[in-house]
Amino acid sequence: MHLFTLSLGRWQFRPGVWPTLAAAVFAVLTFSLGNWQMDRAAYKRELQARIDAGERLPAWQVSAAPVNKSEVLHRRIIATGKFDTRYQILLDNRIHDGVAGYHVLTPLMIDNSSRAILVNRGWLPVGKNRDTLPSITTTSAQVKITGVAVDPDTRYFELSRAAPYQGRVWQNLNFSSYVAWSGLNLQPFVLQQQSEAGDGLLRLWPRPDTGVDTHWSYAMQWYGLCATLVTLWLVLNVKRKPIDDVAH
C-alpha cells in the first residue's frame, strides 16, 4: 500500500504507508531530542554567563544574616569565624592527578553568631590505607576565609549511589542530610575555599564548565540523524518505472 505516486520521466516516488509512518515517528523523535539539547545548551550558556559575571563582582563579606542562595552563587565570598571540627566530614573518592583522596568539609561558625558556613577546604590524599583517616591541621583561632559560593545541591557532589555517609567519611554531600546530622544553622551554600591556610590541603579548583559545547554537539548529532532518516526515506522510495510503463 502506498500513500501516493509521483512520476517524473522514468522515475516514480511511491512512499509506502508503514515505512512512512516509521520514518515520521523517528524523524520527529530525533528532531525533538535535538531541540531538547539546544534548550539545555541555552540554559547552560545562561548559567555560564552568571558564573562569569559572579567572578567579576567584588568579594562579598558574609555575615550571620540569612542570604538568598541565588544572589550569592558563584560570587567570591569573604567569611570570618572559627572552624567547628565536631562536624567535619570527608568526601570520599575525589581524584587529583590519578590519586584517590578526600575533600575536607568543615563548618565555619560566623563571628558572634550561631550561624555557620560549610567550607570545602580542599583536597588531601587517602594515605597508605583507608582504615586510618588522614591527619588534618585545623586551627582553633579565628580565621578569614575567601572563596567562591557553590551550590550544595549540585550533582557535582553526588558521585555515588552508596549510603550517603558512614561516620566521618561521606560518599556524597546531601545538604539536607548534613543539616539534619549536624543540627547547624547553615547558610544555603558551600564556600569553596581559595585562600591559603598553611594546612597542607590542595586547593586547585577547576574552572566551572557547564558543558555548553557538549549539548550543542549532541544536538547536531540528533539533527544529523533526523536529516539522514528523511534522506533515506526519500531515496528508498524513488524507483525506476517498469519498461512497459515507460513505453506507454
Side-chain angles (χ1 to χ4, degrees):
M1 183 184 298
H2 298 89
L3 288 174
F4 54 85
T5 300
L6 293 177
S7 298
L8 183 61
R10 299 174 59 188
W11 300 94
Q12 282 185 333
F13 178 60
R14 303 182 67 196
V17 173
W18 295 113
T20 298
L21 288 176
V25 168
F26 284 105
V28 169
L29 176 62
T30 52
F31 190 79
S32 298
L33 289 170
N35 287 343
W36 180 78
Q37 289 291 347
M38 290 298 287
D39 289 342
R40 293 297 297 167
Y43 168 76
K44 293 294 184 68
R45 193 177 297 112
E46 180 184 351
L47 176 59
Q48 189 68 59
R50 292 202 302 268
I51 292 173
D52 295 340
E55 292 178 349
R56 294 191 294 268
L57 292 173
W60 180 68
Q61 176 75 52
V62 68
S63 67
V67 301
N68 186 327
K69 182 173 70 172
S70 63
E71 294 177 356
V72 299
L73 283 184
H74 317 303
R75 285 195 61 172
R76 289 186 296 121
I77 300 293
I78 301 173
T80 57
K82 294 183 178 181
F83 283 121
D84 186 348
T85 56
R86 294 177 301 167
Y87 303 109
Q88 178 170 279
I89 63 172
L90 304 177
L91 291 187
D92 202 356
N93 298 316
R94 269 47 187 181
I95 308 298
H96 176 74
D97 285 345
V99 178
Y102 304 104
H103 278 180
V104 181
L105 273 65
T106 312
L108 180 77
M109 303 304 299
I110 300 174
D111 282 343
N112 303 315
S113 76
S114 60
R115 193 177 297 275
I117 299 173
L118 188 58
V119 181
N120 188 339
R121 297 168 57 195
W123 178 90
L124 82 169
V126 169
K128 295 181 179 180
N129 60 69
R130 292 181 176 273
D131 295 331
T132 303
L133 294 180
S135 177
I136 303 167
T137 300
T138 305
T139 180
S140 59
Q142 184 188 65
V143 293
K144 180 179 180 179
I145 302 295
T146 60
V148 174
V150 298
D151 193 344
D153 296 318
T154 179
R155 293 186 64 84
Y156 168 78
F157 289 104
E158 300 181 85
L159 302 179
S160 172
R161 293 183 179 274
Y165 59 85
Q166 183 176 5
R168 295 289 177 175
V169 178
W170 291 41
Q171 297 299 317
N172 54 73
L173 176 62
N174 182 298
F175 198 65
S176 59
S177 295
Y178 181 85
V179 171
W181 173 75
S182 65
L184 294 173
N185 185 13
L186 288 168
Q187 294 284 20
F189 61 87
V190 170
L191 181 58
Q192 196 174 73
Q193 183 177 345
Q194 295 177 329
S195 55
E196 290 301 321
D199 51 15
L201 299 177
L202 188 63
R203 285 177 276 271
L204 295 176
W205 307 113
R207 189 179 187 280
D209 181 4
T210 57
V212 174
D213 291 342
T214 299
H215 287 292
W216 188 87
S217 176
Y218 285 154
M220 293 305 102
Q221 291 179 35
W222 285 119
Y223 288 145
L225 182 56
C226 179
T228 300
L229 287 170
V230 173
T231 301
L232 287 174
W233 174 74
L234 291 171
V235 171
L236 294 177
N237 286 288
V238 173
K239 295 180 172 46
R240 283 178 179 269
K241 287 184 180 179
I243 295 177
D244 291 344
D245 291 348
V246 174
H248 288 89

